[in-house]
Amino acid sequence: MTCAGIAGFDLSNPPEGFRDDPFPYYADLLASRPVLPQPDGSMLITRHADLDAIYRDTMRFSSDKTVVFEPKFGRDSPLYAHHTSSLVFNDPPLHTRVRKIMTSALTPRAIARMEPGLVAAVDNLLDQMQDRASVDLIEDFASAIPIQIIGNLLDVPHDERGPLRDWSLAILGALEPVLSNAELDRGNRAVEEFVAYLQDLVARRRARTGDPETDVLTRLIQGTSAGEQLSERELLQNCIFILNAGHETTTNLIGNTLALLHDHPDQLARLKADPTLLNSTIEESLRYLSPNQFGNRETTQAVTIGGVDIPRGTNLHLCIGAANRDPDVFDHPQQFDIARKPNRHLAFAGGPHICVGLTLARMEGRIAVDRFLTRFPNYRLKDGRIAGGRIRFRGYAALPARL
């Protein structure tokens, strides 16, 4: 695309082909218009250095979405209630209080205790696929792992986990730049159904308390030892957030990594020859195909970014997918290199809002890919893979494979 063409790029109405392959557009934006005004008055930001600075500066850049989401969802809608109550879309003091309670439940020791259960869950999925002629690596594997792990975190009974994935997809889908009425209705309905389910689950947990060392829901209900507690609304909406944040992004991480290794046989051979590259493989997958492609902030005062003056109250689209291929930070950014070091990607955002579950997500990705490759080292993807079709989240809806 020419410089003049990229200057007219509109995230709410992207050119044909952008959803399938946004990376050429990202490269053009980085090269010529790294800070690009949008028709609705928002700004599209693509440079790694700019995103990194914005994530760290909570004084000039706010995560609070009470104003931005009102015209998008309607102030009285279930989606508005959810997305303006969850950890990720709030500033201190709510963000600090909620995050403190969550991190107290996701300590390194607590996460380490999850590993045997994660290995067993992954191996069980691999057993179920063992003798099948064809499988879908998303439906049969990648998407099933985070549902089980988050279900275990909240101690959701196994026979009640069926609706969780569909609820998550509908709620996260409502964060796309443009929504149809059907998508909006589906998201609102999902929040209503999820809240109703959680009200019952919380009532049961209050009546029969779990072990706060292993049951995150019990920990969230009890609060911290210092007496900090969540309101009922904060509790319910942040339980939804935990499932959603840990579901689609981790599904995408696992699916994307297996697709990338298949599509780059030299890198797959490299990993097989040197299994110590597994951790850096996960990091490179996070960089190269970031599961979450966009974040947002709002300016709290007039700022200047990249020589562009931006008024107070401007919504910023932070393009993680572009920043993670910024040639000023990454050598040969369009190359998938499983041994890449350093790898300062922003897949988990940064600053005080860095993903609270990043250690768990990395562990899930590492164990899933390792156990899969050990069991099925010669897997092949078949024709018929289906991209997720979203702008904000990057992954696959289907990855048919022969094992």
Side-chain angles (χ1 to χ4, degrees):
M1 181 175 285
T2 65
C3 182
I6 206 68
F9 180 89
D10 180 359
L11 187 62
S12 67
N13 185 28
E16 187 176 352
F18 175 79
R19 289 177 187 272
D20 294 333
D21 185 8
F23 300 104
Y25 298 93
Y26 292 166
D28 288 343
L29 286 163
L30 284 163
S32 61
R33 297 299 298 266
V35 181
L36 182 65
Q38 296 291 280
D40 63 358
S42 62
M43 290 282 177
L44 178 58
I45 316 290
T46 51
R47 272 194 306 226
H48 186 285
D50 291 334
L51 265 69
D52 189 42
I54 290 167
Y55 282 137
R56 296 173 188 276
D57 186 346
T58 58
M59 297 300 294
R60 296 191 302 160
F61 305 100
S62 170
S63 296
D64 188 292
K65 297 296 182 293
T66 53
V67 173
V68 174
F69 283 162
E70 184 170 355
K72 183 181 180 75
F73 299 131
R75 191 172 188 85
D76 297 325
S77 72
L79 280 168
Y80 184 84
H82 169 64
H83 285 306
T84 57
S85 299
S86 69
L87 174 70
V88 70
F89 294 132
N90 273 284
D91 293 327
L94 186 148
H95 173 268
T96 307
R97 183 164 52 84
V98 175
R99 187 180 179 94
K100 186 182 295 184
I101 294 171
M102 286 192 183
T103 53
S104 73
L106 292 172
T107 63
R109 187 174 69 174
I111 291 173
R113 283 201 299 266
M114 299 176 200
E115 185 160 344
L118 173 57
V119 170
V122 169
D123 285 350
N124 180 56
L125 292 169
L126 296 174
D127 289 342
Q128 294 177 37
M129 295 192 294
Q130 178 75 53
D131 299 320
R132 293 172 55 184
S134 180
V135 299
D136 180 348
L137 296 184
I138 302 301
E139 183 70 27
D140 299 321
F141 188 60
S143 70
I145 293 169
I147 287 293
Q148 296 308 318
I149 298 309
I150 303 300
N152 291 346
L153 273 179
L154 299 177
D155 198 16
V156 177
H158 282 270
D159 61 354
E160 297 176 9
R161 297 180 185 183
L164 298 183
R165 185 187 181 201
D166 287 342
W167 285 338
S168 176
L169 291 173
I171 295 167
L172 289 177
L175 293 175
E176 287 291 280
V178 177
L179 292 176
S180 68
N181 288 334
E183 290 168 330
L184 197 60
D185 290 344
R186 188 158 56 245
N188 280 317
R189 193 163 55 250
V191 175
E192 288 179 328
E193 293 173 0
F194 209 158
V195 166
Y197 170 74
L198 286 170
Q199 287 172 327
D200 177 66
L201 184 67
V202 167
R204 283 183 275 160
R205 197 61 45 85
R206 290 188 192 278
R208 186 173 181 178
T209 302
D211 180 357
E213 290 297 314
T214 57
D215 176 6
V216 171
L217 181 54
T218 292
R219 178 68 68 89
L220 293 174
I221 291 170
Q222 292 181 345
T224 68
S225 57
E228 294 175 297
Q229 286 190 302
L230 301 176
S231 69
E232 190 73 3
R233 170 170 163 161
E234 291 167 352
L235 171 64
L236 297 173
Q237 300 296 352
N238 280 287
C239 283
I240 294 177
F241 164 73
I242 289 172
L243 176 84
N244 292 348
H247 172 248
E248 182 162 14
T249 50
T250 306
T251 297
N252 290 351
L253 169 59
I254 296 168
N256 289 351
T257 304
L258 293 177
L260 284 168
L261 288 171
H262 173 273
D263 295 343
H264 297 82
D266 61 321
Q267 298 300 300
L268 179 56
R270 197 177 179 189
L271 178 58
K272 289 178 180 178
D274 184 2
T276 65
L277 291 173
L278 180 60
N279 285 340
S280 59
T281 297
I282 296 301
E283 297 307 308
E284 179 66 347
S285 177
L286 286 164
R287 180 197 74 86
Y288 191 82
L289 282 183
S290 307
N292 184 11
Q293 293 278 300
F294 281 90
N296 293 89
R297 292 293 187 273
E298 183 173 322
T299 57
T300 61
Q301 57 186 266
V303 298
T304 301
I305 302 175
V308 179
D309 294 331
I310 302 174
R312 177 181 180 273
T314 300
N315 183 34
L316 308 180
H317 306 283
L318 307 183
C319 188
I320 297 167
N324 282 346
R325 297 200 186 192
D326 188 337
D328 288 343
V329 177
F330 304 99
D331 292 333
H332 308 291
Q334 309 302 337
Q335 180 179 322
F336 178 63
D337 177 5
I338 66 168
R340 182 181 297 276
K341 287 187 179 178
N343 194 343
R344 294 175 45 237
H345 66 75
L346 296 172
F348 293 117
H353 273 270
I354 193 167
C355 175
V356 70
L358 63 86
T359 302
L360 179 57
R362 283 174 164 137
M363 183 176 76
E364 289 181 72
R366 172 176 56 81
I367 289 174
V369 172
D370 182 43
R371 307 295 285 191
F372 180 89
L373 292 179
T374 299
R375 185 78 68 93
F376 305 119
N378 300 313
Y379 75 103
R380 299 296 299 168
L381 296 184
K382 300 165 61 176
D383 291 342
R385 70 175 78 179
I386 301 173
R390 297 189 181 187
I391 290 176
R392 190 178 182 99
F393 298 98
R394 185 114 196 125
Y396 291 94
L399 274 178
R402 187 183 72 251
L403 303 177

